[in-house]
Amino acid sequence: MAAAWDHWREQGASGVIWMDPDIVADPDDLYEMLRWVLYRPDTVWCSLHKLYPASTGRDTWVWGHGRWAEPVPEMTQKADVMPGWFAMGMTYTPALLLDKVAADLPCWEFGSIDMGLSRAAREIPVPIRVADKCRPKHLHYLPRKGDPSWRS
């Protein structure tokens, strides 16, 4: 991510729309995300996508955003339009946020990038909002082999 941002910053990008490899978005989702990004390019825009038990370890699905709580962010089925944290899923991050974390990005491990970005956004502060009509699908919904819930 750091190398990608270095390249795009040099091109004059106002930010980046990131998409996890297990997220599928259709053209309507992209349109909705772009609509919000063009309206407020200084804001983090996260999609409204579900995270399933196979990736969260929880009993049921939760939204990929929520209220911030220490030490563990709140994960619920309540869609919060002004969240304090976001999972990457399909998310736009503005230049101000990426510049703040650019030096730290190479040190962050997989799984901690979204919380690191969420924390930095609150510290700057950069608003975090949900592009509520951008609803890509998270494909990581089956349990892993070896899980007690796995059905072959």
Side-chain angles (χ1 to χ4, degrees):
M1 284 179 72
W5 175 237
D6 285 342
H7 171 76
W8 289 322
R9 181 188 319 120
E10 290 173 9
Q11 307 304 313
S14 63
V16 178
I17 295 174
W18 306 98
M19 209 161 94
D20 278 345
D22 59 354
I23 291 285
V24 176
D26 68 23
D28 292 335
D29 296 319
L30 181 58
Y31 171 81
E32 287 299 326
M33 180 62 75
L34 289 171
R35 188 170 68 87
W36 285 109
V37 168
L38 291 172
Y39 173 65
R40 294 282 308 270
D42 60 336
T43 298
V44 171
W45 289 104
C46 56
S47 63
L48 193 59
H49 66 280
K50 294 177 180 179
L51 300 176
Y52 291 96
S55 63
T56 65
R58 295 177 176 272
D59 293 334
T60 187
W61 68 267
V62 294
W63 289 118
H65 66 277
R67 294 191 186 278
W68 185 260
E70 293 286 349
V72 180
E74 181 181 287
M75 298 178 91
T76 70
Q77 291 183 0
K78 179 184 174 197
D80 189 342
V81 295
M82 295 177 60
W85 70 270
F86 56 92
M88 291 306 284
M90 182 179 183
T91 299
Y92 168 79
T93 51
L96 177 64
L97 175 58
L98 293 169
D99 286 340
K100 176 170 175 49
V101 301
D104 297 328
L105 271 175
C107 304
W108 288 346
E109 295 180 17
F110 176 78
S112 66
I113 294 171
D114 43 13
M115 289 303 134
L117 286 167
S118 297
R119 182 174 280 112
R122 283 190 327 282
E123 289 170 0
I124 292 176
V126 170
I128 303 170
R129 300 291 183 267
V130 177
D132 61 341
K133 292 182 181 174
C134 178
R135 294 176 172 242
K137 302 300 179 237
H138 183 222
L139 299 180
H140 194 108
Y141 55 87
L142 290 175
R144 295 180 181 97
K145 281 195 177 195
D147 274 353
S149 59
W150 177 261
R151 291 178 182 83
S152 49

